Amino acid sequence: MAVAARRETRMCVAEYRVWVEDRPDSERWELIDGEPLLMSPPRERHQAIVANFIVSLAGLAQEKGCRALPRLAVLSAAMDDFAPIPDVIVRCGPLLPDGYSSDPILVAEVLSPGTMSLDRGRKTDFYRSVSSLHRFLLVSQDEARIEVWRRAAEGWAIDILYGGGILDLPELGGSVAVRDLYTDIVF
C-alpha cells in the first residue's frame, strides 16, 4: 500500500528529484499527482513475476539495442507532477545518467491489491501521455491475465491475454508466451 508524504503544496518533477535524493536507498518513492508516495516492499510473488518479465524480455530487447529493466522512474513532458516507478520498463539507447527515463517503449505494472486502483486509474492516464510508449501492461498476480494497452493510429487499444495467449511485441520484433511470464507461479 502506498503512503503519501504530507506536504502543503504539490511538487513538480524537478522539486521531487531534489527532495527524493536525500531519502534512504531502501525507500521506494514515486511522485503521483504532485504527492510523493512511499511504496511498501513488494511480495515475493510480485517480484517473481517481475523477474520472469525481465528474463523473457531481455533477449528480444537486446537484439534491438534495448534493455528490460526494473525500478526506473518514467517521466512525461505532458505531466510534470508524475514520476511513477513501474515494475519493468524497456528502453533503448545509451545508459541513463540517473534513474529517470523519458523514453520507454514498454512499461509493465504488476497489480497489487493496495495499488490496483492507482495503477488502473491515474497511472494509466499518465502512461498514455508518454510519447515514446508503444504499450503498457497491467499484469495480474491472481491469475495468468495481462491487460495490454497498445498505441494505435486512433489512440489506445486494449487487449486481454490469458495463460495460453501470446504477447506480441512488434516494437521488439518478437513475442512472449503469457505462460512464460508466470513461470513458477501457482494459482
Side-chain angles (χ1 to χ4, degrees), residues 4-24:
R6 291 228 178 251
R7 292 193 37 90
E8 297 299 318
T9 60
R10 294 165 55 112
M11 282 187 189
C12 67
V13 169
E15 293 167 321
Y16 165 77
R17 288 175 76 158
V18 170
W19 178 85
V20 80
E21 195 64 34
D22 291 333
R23 306 305 311 160

Side-chain angles (χ1 to χ4, degrees), residues 96-161:
L96 295 169
D98 54 25
Y100 297 88
S101 172
S102 58
D103 61 354
I105 61 171
L106 181 144
V107 166
E109 288 277 9
V110 177
L111 299 172
S112 297
T115 62
M116 191 176 305
S117 63
L118 180 60
D119 292 340
R120 290 188 173 284
R122 294 296 293 143
K123 282 188 181 180
T124 294
D125 294 340
F126 170 80
Y127 292 134
R128 290 172 34 177
S129 79
V130 178
S131 61
S132 63
L133 200 60
H134 293 273
R135 67 192 64 231
F136 68 94
L137 312 172
L138 296 174
V139 182
S140 175
Q141 287 190 63
D142 301 326
E143 63 178 323
R145 181 183 187 278
I146 301 172
E147 190 174 309
V148 181
W149 288 70
R150 59 183 166 76
R151 194 178 296 274
E154 306 81 39
W156 287 88
I158 305 169
D159 300 310
I160 307 295
L161 300 175

